[in-house]
Amino acid sequence: MKYFSLNKQSQHVNFKEATILGQAPDKGLYFPERIPIHAPDFIGQLISLSKEEIAFRVMEPFVGDVIPADELYRIVSETVNFQFPLKFIHAGIASLELYHGPTFAFKDVGARFMSRCLSYFSKNQSNKITILVATSGDTGGAVANGFLGVEGIDVIILYPSGKVSPVQELQLTTCGENITALEIDGSFDDCQAMVKAAFADDDINNEMQLSSANSINVARWLSQQIYYFLAHQQWEEKTAPVIAVPSGNFGNLCAGIMAYKTGLPVQHFIAACNVNDAVPDYLQTGIFKSKLTTPTISNAMDVGNPSNFVRILELMNHEYTAFNSLVSGYTISDETTIQTIREVYQKNNYLLDPHGAVAYAALQQYQQNHNNAAGYILETADPIKFPDSINTAIGVAPKIPLAAMELFTKEKRSIPMLNEYASFKDYLLSR
Ligand SMILES: *Cc1c(COP(=O)(O)O)cnc(C)c1O
């Protein structure tokens, strides 16, 4: 499989090169030259396949021959070595729990796959790879966990000071070793802009081999298709599901649409956003306008200018009508998010986190106008990551499991930095 840049100026590259580069030299996002279609019986066979086999079948066409089959099988097995249960909250809405990995959020899947691919690719490389990653909360921890101790790879995480939850902050600031956290006096979009500026900076590119671990990286983006297939394996309804995806940078939804294009049965997608709703606005008006970020309680979705939007346009052949008939956008306020957590807890005895609650509220609104079409939400993080919101909603904070308690005994180590590209550049060049 070859990948081209959506800016159309750079050369086509294979999966290995696309993963190492992160972003194309012309600043575009990589996109596969063609969309592989699964054999017609693959979907019917899901029920009899193991998680590992499903993950392997999903990723193999995208990876191509740059990783031998036995290595790829090992990589995907390590990627999916936790549970992905689809639990019915009530008859019409199920929750695909994606938070049973080491950092309690769905980003573990993409980060584990990507780190293992890069580790395989860097084996015979002489120069170090420096991964720059901007995080709105969960990417940082997942990437830190995925890359900790991996030889030949340094990770630098930029996160918005004061805008991530305590567990999120500890997960990305307590690793040490090859992981460094920069605490930026700004928003997630500021962090993302600084990372993008570094990728575009020749002074830096001449000094170091940069890569990215955000969902702009194909290894992270595409491996997120796996759990849509794992969900389908557990989906027993007669009709294809409506899938509600809590969205920020839109890597997750973009992976879902890719899975659909390769043959996964899906009735409809819901782009569930908090007030940072540039994409729902686009779906209403046909005009895309990025926004300034507004902080919310579903902080991992506080993205005003989502990177993967251009990829979704490409997947939809830039046809607004097609996009609109496959995807509906919803904007959910913090107030509705809290109310949803409370109601679902009281009525159904199920605890949603703020991100899952945004998806739940959006799916509920959709169902009211669509004959209660059955579907599932992607529950992207464990409620324990957001004790304050849970406390507001139900009057008690969730019990922190032992694995997370250990974090609170560790010391936060971050490098505070102004929201200024020059400071970041100086820091990179002085390392
Ligand atoms: C990152 C994140 C999202 C948003 O995912 P995107 O792929 O950026 O749209 C949603 N929920 C949680 C918990 C996250 O960490």
Side-chain angles (χ1 to χ4, degrees), residues 86-331:
L86 183 74
K87 293 185 184 165
F88 270 88
I89 299 175
H90 58 72
I93 300 185
S95 167
L96 179 66
E97 293 181 355
L98 297 174
Y99 58 74
H100 297 287
T103 71
F104 317 116
F106 81 100
K107 294 202 172 76
D108 280 324
V109 175
R112 288 168 82 75
F113 182 76
M114 181 193 166
S115 60
R116 281 153 181 84
C117 288
L118 265 184
S119 165
Y120 175 78
F121 293 145
S122 69
K123 265 186 198 139
N124 304 316
Q125 280 224 337
S126 50
N127 48 348
K128 243 188 161 80
I129 297 174
T130 303
I131 292 180
L132 298 183
V133 58
T135 182
S136 57
D138 292 318
T139 297
V143 169
N145 184 283
F147 283 98
L148 182 61
V150 174
E151 229 168 280
I153 295 176
D154 273 343
V155 177
I156 300 174
I157 301 167
L158 289 80
Y159 75 99
S161 180
K163 297 190 177 71
V164 301
S165 85
V167 171
Q168 288 174 331
E169 185 168 41
L170 287 169
Q171 282 176 339
L172 62 95
T173 56
T174 57
C175 286
E177 294 187 49
N178 57 333
I179 315 288
T180 307
L182 303 183
E183 184 172 355
I184 308 296
D185 186 15
S187 68
F188 167 70
D189 286 295
D190 296 328
C191 297
Q192 182 151 271
M194 280 159 86
V195 167
K196 282 185 179 161
F199 277 112
D201 191 325
D202 289 338
D203 296 342
I204 293 174
N205 287 308
N206 292 336
E207 290 293 316
M208 44 176 67
Q209 166 79 62
L210 291 182
S211 187
S212 144
N214 282 101
S215 49
I216 59 172
N217 194 298
V218 292
R220 252 202 69 192
W221 165 43
L222 293 169
S223 55
Q224 296 180 156
Q225 294 177 88
I226 295 170
Y227 44 72
Y228 287 90
F229 287 89
L230 298 180
H232 202 76
Q233 185 189 35
Q234 303 169 69
W235 182 256
E236 291 172 353
E237 309 300 304
K238 284 181 206 71
T239 52
V242 177
I243 306 176
V245 186
S247 295
N249 226 354
F250 280 80
N252 209 358
L253 181 61
C254 192
I257 297 177
M258 178 60 91
Y260 166 73
K261 291 269 166 177
T262 65
L264 183 78
V266 178
Q267 185 175 142
H268 197 71
F269 283 105
I270 291 178
C273 292
N274 58 32
V275 293
N276 298 287
D277 58 353
V279 174
D281 265 11
Y282 164 82
L283 287 164
Q284 287 282 324
T285 61
I287 299 160
F288 182 80
K289 269 199 272 186
S290 67
K291 300 190 167 187
L292 287 175
T293 325
T294 307
T296 74
I297 57 167
S298 45
N299 67 298
M301 291 152 46
D302 295 349
V303 183
N305 189 14
S307 299
N308 285 290
F309 181 67
V310 287
R311 274 194 179 129
I312 300 186
L313 287 182
E314 185 71 18
L315 275 166
M316 294 280 110
N317 298 321
H318 300 266
E319 287 165 15
Y320 175 68
T321 335
F323 195 160
N324 238 324
S325 61
L326 183 66
V327 184
S328 299
Y330 287 88
T331 307

